[in-house]
Amino acid sequence: SLRSTGSAVAPGRLMISATNDITATDSGILDALAAAGASFANSRVTNNAVASISGGNQAQLLNQSGDVTLASRSDAIISASATALAGLAGFGESNAKAFNRPTNTIQLRGTTIEGQDIRLWSGIDATGVPNTLSTTADSQIQAITVGITVPYVSAETTETNSIVLDGSSRILARANAYL
């Protein structure tokens, strides 16, 4: 049981937050300086971070004079870059892949939450700021005079925000409940 106390004049505040703040960058550079050459440059960055808040069976979050906020959020900047030079005459590939897949969850299983306003926010922090996500990929390849050069690039952002209330969970808001 977690309890916040206060009064009508000075209400208590009960806030639980889970936040990820991630910056990941990869840069691959390959130069084949020959009359004829083959180059293969690869860069791959993946973010699978999880920001999670869980409440178990018979857990209680109680604020008798104010609000209760549970918030899970992610900020992530993910960048992949691959550059290759395939010589005077050459062939090759340059691959850059960036995957930004954060998961934010609130799971309450048989948990009781009681307060004035109750906020269960997944993908939003306690002040109302949403996830900030950036995913970039850059792929460059060249031959100085002639060649077969193929750049491949992929940048993907998949954001998962979920709130799970199951079992005998109870949300007892004296004013408003925000999900």
Side-chain angles (χ1 to χ4, degrees), residues 7 15-16 58 60 157 161:
S7 65
M15 184 181 340
I16 299 173
Q58 299 182 350
Q60 296 180 325
T157 300
N161 302 302

Side-chain angles (χ1 to χ4, degrees), residues 30-97:
L30 177 63
D31 294 335
L33 298 175
S39 295
F40 299 92
N42 292 297
S43 174
R44 180 183 177 111
V45 180
T46 302
N47 169 34
N48 289 321
V50 176
S52 180
I53 299 171
S54 298
N57 196 28
Q58 299 182 350
Q60 296 180 325
L61 301 174
L62 309 171
N63 189 344
Q64 297 174 346
S65 63
D67 300 340
V68 177
T69 302
L70 279 66
S72 62
R73 174 177 185 260
S74 294
D75 288 342
I77 299 170
I78 306 300
S79 176
S81 175
T83 304
L85 174 63
L88 190 59
F91 66 95
E93 290 182 5
S94 175
N95 299 297
K97 297 179 181 179

Side-chain angles (χ1 to χ4, degrees), residues 79-167:
S79 176
S81 175
T83 304
L85 174 63
L88 190 59
F91 66 95
E93 290 182 5
S94 175
N95 299 297
K97 297 179 181 179
F99 302 99
N100 201 354
R101 302 174 180 144
T103 300
N104 304 293
T105 64
I106 297 172
Q107 294 184 346
L108 304 178
R109 302 184 191 286
T111 304
T112 298
I113 300 178
E114 181 180 335
Q116 186 68 22
D117 284 338
I118 297 175
R119 293 172 187 84
L120 304 179
W121 287 347
S122 181
I124 303 172
D125 73 8
T127 63
V129 176
N131 293 337
T132 305
L133 305 172
S134 173
T135 310
T136 60
D138 176 52
S139 179
Q140 299 178 26
I141 186 166
Q142 64 182 11
I144 294 175
T145 58
V146 65
I148 299 171
T149 57
V150 183
Y152 294 102
V153 66
S154 177
E156 173 189 308
T157 300
T158 305
E159 167 182 9
T160 303
N161 302 302
S162 66
I163 299 170
V164 177
L165 304 173
D166 63 5

